[in-house]
Amino acid sequence: GKFADIDPVRWPESFDTNFYGTYNGCRVALASMLPRGQGKIINILGVGADRPAPNQSAYGTAKAAVARLTETLAVEYAHSGIAILAVMPGMIWTEMLTRAEGVNPAMQSRMEWAMRVFGNPPEVPARFVVQLAERNEPTGKTFRLLTPRIFVPRMAREMLGAGKKNPRPWEARPD
């Protein structure tokens, strides 16, 4: 919902999940990776990390904090042998959207329709993150996933063979 419509108690909940979860994960990962002088941290960003989005003030602000944390860690540990990267997965259909606070039912219905039509299932960015973990990328990059659903409806993708061996139902471009 809009900023004034969100219960102030929800802001810390959003930061606990979306920022402090990442913060704590980075601390644990770095403690293990620094003595070895190698490793890779891949943080997940949201739309709010890149630009403001209506009705996402708490979530977007927390994800913007994750983006800055990722950039800062990449600079601080640039010569440690640890690559610190970020992925912005684009539109992902999740059940969290059905619980948006402060959104009227008509808007909620439109949001759900848009995500079902244009959003990727969570498995798409998950596959990309696994592949990214196996690649040798320099620290500090952010990858934005572009969903083909915006351009080609699901049925057409299936007809065109998106189910073939080793499908690549996304494109990624580094910043």
Side-chain angles (χ1 to χ4, degrees):
K2 290 185 178 179
F3 178 80
D5 298 332
I6 297 174
D7 182 344
V9 172
R10 299 299 304 251
W11 273 77
E13 292 174 4
S14 184
F15 266 79
D16 285 348
T17 300
N18 295 297
F19 175 74
Y20 285 110
T22 301
Y23 166 84
N24 290 324
C26 288
R27 289 190 59 83
V28 169
L30 283 170
S32 172
M33 294 175 186
L34 283 170
R36 295 181 308 186
Q38 67 179 20
K40 188 173 293 184
I41 295 173
I42 303 172
N43 290 330
I44 306 300
L45 305 180
V47 170
D50 197 30
R51 63 186 176 279
N55 301 312
Q56 294 190 5
S57 55
Y59 173 81
T61 302
K63 287 299 190 176
V66 171
R68 183 51 52 99
L69 174 67
T70 303
E71 294 165 350
T72 302
L73 294 178
V75 170
E76 288 181 354
Y77 296 99
H79 302 291
S80 68
I82 299 168
I84 300 173
L85 308 167
V87 172
M88 193 174 290
M91 293 177 31
I92 305 298
W93 170 248
T94 65
E95 290 303 313
M96 182 177 77
L97 293 173
T98 64
R99 300 185 311 268
E101 186 176 335
V103 176
N104 70 51
M107 175 61 84
Q108 184 69 35
S109 178
R110 286 194 297 272
M111 287 170 49
E112 289 179 14
W113 175 85
M115 291 307 292
R116 283 191 178 110
V117 172
F118 299 115
N120 268 328
E123 297 79 16
V124 171
R127 282 193 300 262
F128 179 78
V129 168
V130 168
Q131 290 183 353
L132 182 59
E134 296 170 349
R135 293 183 356 206
N136 187 17
E137 294 288 344
T139 194
K141 280 188 177 180
T142 295
F143 294 85
R144 287 173 173 77
L145 301 187
L146 307 174
T147 175
R149 270 197 192 179
I150 291 173
F151 308 107
V152 183
R154 182 180 202 172
M155 190 182 316
R157 278 198 348 266
E158 290 171 3
M159 291 169 55
L160 294 172
K164 292 181 181 176
K165 187 177 180 184
N166 297 324
R168 295 189 57 101
W170 62 81
E171 295 176 13
R173 62 177 172 86
D175 280 351

